[in-house]
Amino acid sequence: MGSSILSIIYLIGSVTFILGLKMLSKPDTARKGNMVAAAGMSLAILGTIFLYRVNDAPLHNYGWIFTGLAIGGIIGVLSAKKVKMTAMPEMVSMFNGMGGACAALISIVEFDHLIKLIKNLYAPVADDHLALQLLESSTSRGTVIIILLSLIIGAVSCAGSIVAWGKLTGKVKDFSFNGQHFLNLGVLTLIVGLSVWLVCIFDTSPGTALTVFYIIFGLALFYGVLFVMPIGGADMPVVISLLNSFTGVAAACGGFLYSNPVMLTGGILVGSAGTILTILMCKAMNRSLKNVLIGSFGGGAAGAAAAGKDQGNYKEISLNDAAVVLAYASKVIIVPGYGLAVAQAQHACHELEKQLEEKGVEVKYAIHPVAGRMPGHMNVLLAEADVPYEKLLEMEDANAEFPTTDAVLILGANDVVNPAAKSDPASPIYGMPILEVENAKVVIVNKRSMKPGYAGIENDLFFQPKTSMLFGDAKKVLQELLSAIKEV
Amino acid sequence: MEYILTFLRQHIDLIYIVILSVFLGIEVISRVPSVLHTPLMSGANAIHGVVIIGAIIVMGKAETDNYPALIIGFLAVILGTINVVGGFVVTDRMLEMFKGKKK
């Protein structure tokens, strides 16, 4: 009875995941979709706790389980509630890493369990016939493959996500060296080789197998670090999305392990949807996935060569002059970037927009699909500041409007307005669609310094005659601009 | 080689689920406006937290004196719960903001 109910619960859970994802992909239903999936998840978790049977026996250790759920729940809610909207990408990355770690830990316990079983069968008391039967049964070999897959993918995803988190918070710098690709390939080959060997020997020498298993675990963690380390910060969203789908696959391996359909559907759905999402993001940046993963952006020769180019002169503009330019323009387009996000300047930005509108200036925002650290990052931030939806222009629409724009105000965006993406085939970001701000009459760039953006390359835009620089923290500059404009 | 075939045969219903889910995932996601990429990624991130169920099973069937398994399982339950709960709450927070500006 219980297990039939559980099957139905799992069925409902699977359906809610599908519906949830479907609803999440439409703006009107997205929030409800998230709730639907969350409800399905809660149902599946509760069902598992109370109705799951192992050899007809209910689960035990309830104390541990509920304590774990409570601790995890509290940490999860607190960190999710407390995190600033600007730090969202790294939060998602962190959560993803935890899911990966969870999958890897499950594999460790299950493998340990399996090895114990085999060791017991080798003990003199064991019935030889029974032992042989178990060892020859294909199931256990298949099980080991699944456990290994879950371990490796989970560990790579966990370590990779933590590095990605470190990069986004600025704790970890891009790091690559010559021959890194060979090292990566070598480690990966070693992992695969050891895994194959492990699958062959685990039944005859369980002791060695356990050691090898932990070595593989270590190598997989190491590979996760190597995998993400050389990839530039500009590509982090793609990497996080990819690691997200990895964790999905790791969860699905768990589904295989326990013949658990809800884990399987949930995991695989995320795996495939995540892969598609990754490809969509790559398309938004006009880069292929291969390019992102192998052609490690920013690091290496290309970045250095571009940075070494002659820089020319840039000119600065004073706050008051900038205020005058903006106040007397008839159309202003604001291009927000990561600088706006780190400075938490979205509200100040909205204030400025309102002030300009009062002066009769038409103000719009041009949103590059990958501005900030994640696709849609800017939309989320500006929505938080109550910027009306109609004011946000997508890239194509914005590009059509720049020629009739009097002034463009760039707030901490760099690579997404770099003309080198169109004109310089040697540039690492060549081919990425950009916001063609140079078509506007005047461009005012707010940056903290002349330091290159995340791709690590210089931006010719800053040296063009129509561009003037307004240095400083985006929030401070916007507030000062606001009071200056009030006085104009 | 044979064990792989046997394994596939024994799990053929699961393999059907896998293959159908792959296509379903692709179908469900294609044509998403780029505005929703981040919330969608975050939502998907929460859904793969379903791995928590595995952690619960590990915990629930561990012998009460098998401390290594209990401790690792306990850790897995905590991490998995953070993934699920945090993921859904963060996604909700993001989407809440979208709703505000609509009307």
Side-chain angles (χ1 to χ4, degrees):
Chain A
M1 179 65 183
S3 62
S4 323
I5 295 176
L6 187 59
S7 308
I8 293 168
I9 286 180
Y10 282 164
L11 182 65
I12 296 172
S14 304
V15 174
T16 59
F17 291 164
I18 299 168
L19 280 179
L21 270 182
K22 180 85 198 158
M23 290 163 84
L24 266 171
S25 56
K26 292 210 188 66
D28 303 340
T29 53
R31 199 170 178 207
K32 227 190 270 166
N34 187 47
M35 302 274 186
V36 167
M41 182 74 79
S42 319
L43 195 64
I45 290 174
L46 289 175
T48 308
I49 295 176
F50 293 112
L51 298 172
Y52 195 86
R53 295 284 178 275
V54 184
N55 303 329
D56 279 336
L59 296 175
H60 43 274
N61 300 322
Y62 277 134
W64 287 81
I65 294 178
F66 283 114
T67 316
L69 285 174
I71 296 176
I74 291 169
I75 297 177
V77 170
L78 284 185
S79 46
K81 287 264 182 209
K82 249 183 52 199
V83 65
K84 297 193 183 91
M85 276 334 263
T86 42
M88 226 37 123
E90 43 269 48
M91 195 79 244
V92 173
S93 180
M94 205 53 181
F95 287 149
N96 182 47
M98 289 176 174
C102 180
L105 291 177
I106 293 172
S107 307
I108 292 176
V109 177
E110 285 301 327
F111 191 75
D112 191 59
H113 186 69
L114 191 77
I115 290 295
K116 272 209 187 101
L117 220 62
I118 293 168
K119 275 187 180 159
N120 280 344
L121 291 171
Y122 270 110
V125 268
D127 184 332
D128 268 351
H129 180 66
L130 194 72
L132 278 173
Q133 209 173 27
L134 178 101
L135 296 181
E136 279 177 14
S137 88
S138 53
T139 326
S140 70
R141 221 174 274 281
T143 306
V144 171
I145 296 180
I146 294 293
I147 291 178
L148 275 172
L149 270 178
S150 169
L151 174 86
I152 295 167
I153 300 172
V156 169
S157 172
C158 171
S161 297
I162 291 172
V163 175
W165 172 81
K167 284 201 169 194
L168 287 171
T169 50
K171 291 194 173 66
V172 180
K173 295 272 165 284
D174 294 356
F175 174 76
S176 63
F177 50 86
N178 280 342
Q180 170 143 20
H181 296 319
F182 293 104
L183 178 66
N184 286 10
L185 206 64
V187 173
L188 191 61
T189 318
L190 196 60
I191 292 175
V192 174
L194 282 176
S195 305
V196 171
W197 186 50
L198 180 65
V199 172
C200 298
I201 61 140
F202 80 94
D203 43 1
T204 45
S205 45
T208 328
L210 205 57
T211 320
V212 175
F213 185 79
Y214 286 115
I215 293 175
I216 293 177
F217 179 49
L219 282 173
L221 286 175
F222 182 52
Y223 182 75
V225 174
L226 284 179
F227 176 68
V228 179
M229 214 55 180
I231 300 174
D235 283 331
M236 264 320 118
V238 178
V239 174
I240 295 177
S241 175
L242 188 70
L243 292 173
N244 191 27
S245 60
F246 277 9
T247 312
V249 176
C253 290
F256 250 100
L257 202 55
Y258 299 113
S259 297
N260 189 314
V262 78
M263 287 174 79
L264 201 60
T265 30
I268 291 289
L269 267 180
V270 174
S272 72
T275 311
I276 292 297
L277 195 56
T278 313
I279 294 170
L280 285 178
M281 285 185 188
C282 284
K283 266 198 196 137
M285 297 195 273
N286 200 17
R287 291 163 60 72
S288 74
L289 188 57
K290 192 181 121 233
N291 219 311
V292 170
L293 297 182
I294 297 173
S296 47
F297 213 120
K309 249 175 30 187
D310 62 319
Q311 309 196 341
N313 292 319
Y314 58 88
K315 64 171 190 287
E316 278 193 59
I317 187 170
S318 73
L319 261 168
N320 288 330
D321 291 347
V324 170
V325 170
L326 293 175
Y328 288 109
S330 65
K331 184 154 106 184
V332 170
I333 293 187
I334 299 176
V335 179
Y338 188 62
L340 174 107
V342 272
Q344 300 268 349
Q346 63 272 35
H347 294 281
C349 187
H350 183 47
E351 290 299 315
L352 180 82
E353 167 217 318
K354 280 195 293 194
Q355 183 63 40
L356 283 173
E357 296 258 284
E358 266 174 40
K359 298 245 175 210
V361 184
E362 186 188 358
V363 184
K364 285 185 173 158
Y365 292 84
I367 311 289
H368 190 276
V370 294
R373 282 293 175 273
M374 269 195 183
H377 194 174
M378 288 300 132
N379 303 68
V380 175
L381 276 184
L382 293 173
E384 188 199 9
D386 292 325
V387 173
Y389 193 56
E390 314 79 57
K391 287 201 172 293
L392 308 185
L393 298 176
E394 297 218 356
M395 185 171 54
E396 289 80 14
D397 303 333
N399 282 340
E401 293 212 15
F402 282 127
T404 59
T405 302
D406 300 303
V408 169
L409 177 62
I410 298 178
L411 299 169
N414 190 344
D415 298 328
V416 297
V417 292
N418 191 339
K422 275 194 315 186
S423 57
D424 179 10
S427 169
I429 60 168
Y430 182 69
M432 180 170 100
I434 55 159
L435 290 166
E436 293 154 1
V437 292
E438 71 270 24
N439 293 338
K441 292 202 187 81
V442 179
V443 179
I444 298 174
V445 181
N446 166 242
K447 266 170 76 49
R448 276 169 300 179
S449 67
M450 278 310 284
K451 278 214 311 241
Y454 231 109
I457 50 175
E458 284 298 339
N459 193 336
D460 292 337
L461 177 74
F462 303 155
F463 305 109
Q464 285 180 7
K466 66 168 69 159
T467 309
S468 19
M469 309 297 294
L470 185 56
F471 292 115
D473 172 79
K475 192 173 184 178
K476 222 177 115 247
V477 166
L478 281 170
Q479 281 162 347
E480 287 166 0
L481 257 182
L482 184 65
S483 43
I485 288 173
K486 273 184 189 153
E487 284 163 21
V488 169
Chain B
M1 200 58 224
E2 203 193 321
Y3 65 84
I4 294 181
L5 288 178
T6 327
F7 184 82
L8 289 181
R9 202 196 62 230
Q10 282 171 338
H11 293 88
I12 195 69
D13 46 347
L14 294 182
I15 291 164
Y16 269 105
I17 298 183
V18 169
I19 292 173
L20 293 177
S21 298
V22 168
F23 284 103
L24 195 61
I26 295 173
E27 207 49 47
V28 162
I29 292 302
S30 39
R31 293 199 304 277
V32 191
S34 66
V35 191
L36 281 176
H37 279 177
T38 303
L40 187 66
M41 186 199 304
S42 175
N45 177 44
I47 290 178
H48 72 50
V50 71
V51 70
I52 173 77
I53 290 180
I56 292 174
I57 297 175
V58 160
M59 273 310 290
K61 68 178 190 178
E63 301 84 357
T64 26
D65 55 348
N66 184 356
Y67 290 106
L70 282 178
I71 291 168
I72 297 178
F74 186 59
L75 211 58
V77 171
I78 294 179
L79 292 176
T81 318
I82 297 178
N83 186 179
V84 172
V85 176
F88 281 123
V89 174
V90 154
T91 314
D92 191 58
R93 266 189 68 194
M94 286 187 209
L95 293 169
E96 192 182 1
M97 283 160 194
F98 281 105
K99 218 185 114 210
K101 109 248 139 172
K102 273 269 150 66
K103 269 142 214 162

